[in-house]
Amino acid sequence: MEDTELLARIASGDQDAIEILHERFAPRMYAVAMRVTRSERLSQEAVQDAFLAVWQDPRRFDPARGSLGPWMFTLARYKAIDAVRREAAAKRHTAEVDLELYEAPDDVHDEVWRGLRRERLNDAIRRLPEDQRRALSLAFIQGLTHVEVAEREGIPLGTAKTRIRTALLRLRASLEADLSERESPGDRGESRGVLGTGDHVRAPERRGGRPESGLVRCAIRFGSIIEHALKLAQSVTAFFDAEPKAAAGGSL
Amino acid sequence: MNDSPMPELPQVPDQIPPDGDIAAPEFLASLLADGDDDMAAWVMSQALAERSRAEVYDEVVRPAMELVGVRWEQGQWSISVEHLASVALNQALSRVRPNETPESRIGPTAVLAAPEMEQHVAGLACLAQVLEDDGWHVENLGANVPADDLVAFISAREVDLVALSIGTADQTETLHRAVDAIRAQGGSVAELPLMVGGHGLEAIAEFAGASLVCHSLADAQRFARSLSLAPGDADRR
């Protein structure tokens, strides 16, 4: 059957004709597509796409411009290039989604950590004796001076200072226990190294671009916050250790 | 438009043997016009697996480039496309060139050139490969070689064959000048086997001063083989 007759039959919806055409040209079209895509899957798709295009509109072929075979090979090549383009676009899209998923855990970790931090601090504060908890709250939440805390509580200044200092020491002990539970020695060292520079770059960048697991990143961030909390507690404690003389001198 | 659903077509077997039928001139022309030298070379290699180099270049490459020229003349393809096709062809040819062998370095020497003002060299590139396949050492000087310079080049070395090619009939005159200059040199240069060929010479049986007017690469190959030169002949002179 001549090519033009075959195409005329395809135009009339003759399913046998497209099968004959497929048998006649598909292997060579596949070879052409393979040369473009280097992928069996994409090449099969390209050949199917090419035959679908012929099926849908066989009049696209103009016999005045050449014979059917080269036209089919050219069509296969174009469809193969389209398949490569689609695949590349899909890979780009996948990479973007991966990036979003990659970045999302940081937000999740932050949010989880914020929750954990609140929960841990609240737990530690709740475990304090009532008088110490109240003194701490007056000093650090309401911002009262030690003298004001003492006046508000109706207790001597020294007692107020002792309650606040003892409360801080208890919090420190409690948070240190959390830190030792949460971090391995290696993680602790790394987190301190990172914290020492105040560097909050992404963990993967610190490790030469190698992605870290969410667990490791979470541990590092957890250690970071704990260490900040400890430093704060140490600072406040140091302040209390040094302050009595000045405070006594100022108030008395 | 065909609105009825297409029947399910079978998957194509994964292993497809080389098929020279892919190497249709129209397909090769479209590849060259797209600058796809990789696929053009692959198409040529499919044909070379089944046919001789001279046959493939005569029956596939040459008609493909003629088709490029026709499309350009008809205004279907621009000058840029034609130039892209020429560049792609050269790149594709370099991908399918014969492998160098120890013998190819000591083979008889053929000097190929296009005369002054002639820029078309695809034919020379094809001829070079056909001769290399037969063990010739080819020195292809390419486009636009002044006659005096060509003579000086040939005179300065041991040459066994000269081939000159033109791409258009307009260059017939410069071709004459080149042939005349070689023949006027005297001595062994004047006696050298000299082939001419290319567009514009298709209807010509003889060309003054030329040993042969080639109408195909197969003609050129036959003539070169008729010289009965073998690897190492140049060393025995």
Side-chain angles (χ1 to χ4, degrees):
Chain A
M1 189 183 304
E2 292 296 321
D3 292 342
T4 48
E5 184 187 349
L6 205 54
L7 288 172
R9 284 178 55 184
I10 290 171
S12 67
D14 185 339
Q15 298 196 342
D16 290 341
I18 192 78
E19 287 170 359
I20 293 170
L21 194 71
H22 186 270
E23 193 175 328
R24 189 174 292 179
F25 293 116
R28 280 171 278 167
M29 291 167 69
Y30 177 80
V32 168
M34 272 298 286
R35 186 65 194 178
V36 174
T37 67
R38 319 291 166 111
S39 157
E40 292 175 8
R41 177 177 59 81
L42 294 181
S43 298
Q44 295 284 2
E45 284 178 20
V47 172
Q48 287 290 322
D49 289 348
F51 277 97
L52 185 60
V54 173
W55 174 257
Q56 289 175 336
D57 190 6
R59 292 184 182 85
R60 289 167 49 166
F61 170 67
D62 179 4
R65 296 198 60 175
S67 48
L68 183 60
W71 185 77
M72 294 292 287
F73 305 152
T74 301
L75 186 59
R77 175 173 168 269
Y78 288 151
K79 293 297 181 185
I81 293 170
D82 284 347
V84 172
R85 191 174 287 124
R86 276 200 310 272
E87 185 79 352
K91 280 181 182 171
R92 274 199 303 275
H93 179 67
T94 303
E96 286 165 3
V97 171
D98 284 349
L99 185 62
E100 287 169 8
L101 289 174
Y102 175 77
E103 289 181 339
D106 285 324
D107 297 332
V108 172
H109 291 157
D110 287 343
E111 188 55 39
V112 167
W113 167 243
R114 277 195 289 273
L116 279 173
R117 182 177 56 181
R118 279 194 298 272
E119 187 181 330
R120 290 285 168 184
L121 285 172
N122 288 340
D123 280 346
I125 290 169
R126 271 196 297 271
R127 287 198 297 271
L128 292 172
E130 173 63 25
D131 56 351
Q132 289 178 20
R133 187 167 65 244
R134 206 168 49 245
L136 199 67
S137 173
L138 290 170
F140 288 97
I141 297 175
Q142 297 188 35
L144 302 182
T145 64
H146 292 167
V147 173
E148 289 169 335
V149 170
E151 288 174 353
R152 179 75 64 91
E153 290 293 286
I155 54 175
L157 178 61
T159 303
K161 290 178 181 176
T162 299
R163 286 181 183 177
I164 294 168
R165 184 170 182 274
T166 305
L168 287 171
L169 288 173
R170 287 192 177 202
L171 284 179
R172 175 180 175 177
S174 176
L175 294 173
E176 273 184 330
D178 278 333
L179 183 62
S180 61
E181 283 171 16
R182 293 274 175 165
E183 286 186 312
S184 68
D187 287 336
R188 184 193 294 252
E190 178 170 345
S191 71
R192 282 179 178 167
V194 170
L195 289 168
T197 62
D199 182 9
H200 289 279
V201 298
R202 288 188 182 287
E205 292 172 11
R206 294 195 304 269
R207 294 187 170 197
R210 186 166 58 85
E212 293 170 333
S213 72
L215 184 61
V216 171
R217 279 186 289 167
C218 187
I220 290 170
R221 282 166 180 266
F222 185 78
S224 163
I225 299 298
I226 289 291
E227 188 163 298
H228 277 306
L230 284 175
K231 282 184 176 175
L232 174 65
Q234 285 168 340
S235 301
V236 174
T237 305
F239 173 76
F240 283 135
D241 285 339
E243 198 228 16
K245 289 176 187 171
S251 60
L252 294 175
Chain B
M1 292 292 290
N2 199 342
D3 295 328
S4 59
M6 184 175 76
E8 189 172 335
L9 298 172
Q11 290 247 316
V12 184
D14 289 338
Q15 299 301 320
I16 304 295
D19 189 338
D21 287 347
I22 285 177
E26 293 147 297
F27 184 43
L28 181 60
S30 75
L31 296 173
L32 296 173
D34 275 353
D36 193 343
D37 59 287
D38 171 77
M39 180 154 279
W42 174 76
V43 163
M44 284 191 244
S45 68
Q46 297 286 302
L48 287 168
E50 297 178 351
R51 288 179 273 172
S52 75
R53 194 175 294 272
E55 283 176 322
V56 171
Y57 291 176
D58 276 338
E59 296 166 13
V60 179
V61 175
R62 183 174 174 171
M65 288 307 288
E66 286 173 350
L67 191 56
V68 171
V70 168
R71 297 261 159 89
W72 167 69
E73 285 171 2
Q74 293 174 345
Q76 296 174 9
W77 289 349
S78 66
I79 292 174
S80 297
V81 170
E82 190 207 12
H83 288 190
L84 177 63
S86 296
V87 171
L89 175 62
N90 282 330
Q91 290 172 332
L93 286 172
S94 70
R95 288 171 181 258
V96 297
R97 67 174 298 181
N99 291 326
E100 287 279 343
T101 64
E103 288 73 22
S104 66
R105 298 179 189 281
I106 62 169
T109 298
V111 171
L112 280 50
E116 196 162 10
M117 306 298 290
E118 177 56 69
Q119 303 295 335
H120 296 86
V121 292
L124 290 178
C126 291
L127 175 60
Q129 293 191 4
V130 168
L131 293 175
E132 284 170 352
D133 253 354
D134 278 356
W136 285 78
H137 170 68
V138 176
E139 293 177 348
N140 185 355
L141 309 186
N144 192 24
V145 181
D148 292 348
D149 200 87
L150 175 63
V151 170
F153 182 89
I154 293 169
S155 302
R157 56 193 69 209
E158 301 286 352
V159 175
D160 301 287
L161 173 67
V162 176
L164 303 177
S165 172
I166 56 174
T168 64
D170 297 343
Q171 299 302 329
T172 308
E173 188 53 40
T174 57
L175 181 61
H176 271 298
R177 278 206 293 274
V179 172
D180 291 346
I182 291 170
R183 293 309 186 209
Q185 180 66 11
S188 60
V189 172
E191 303 298 321
L192 276 174
L194 196 162
M195 306 188 291
V196 296
H199 285 289
L201 303 180
E202 292 89 344
I204 297 174
E206 293 186 355
F207 194 93
S211 312
L212 174 76
V213 179
C214 299
H215 296 119
S216 66
L217 290 172
D219 285 350
Q221 187 175 44
R222 272 192 297 275
F223 179 72
R225 285 176 176 174
S226 73
L227 299 175
S228 300
L229 294 169
D233 280 359
D235 293 338
R236 291 196 293 273
R237 277 195 296 266

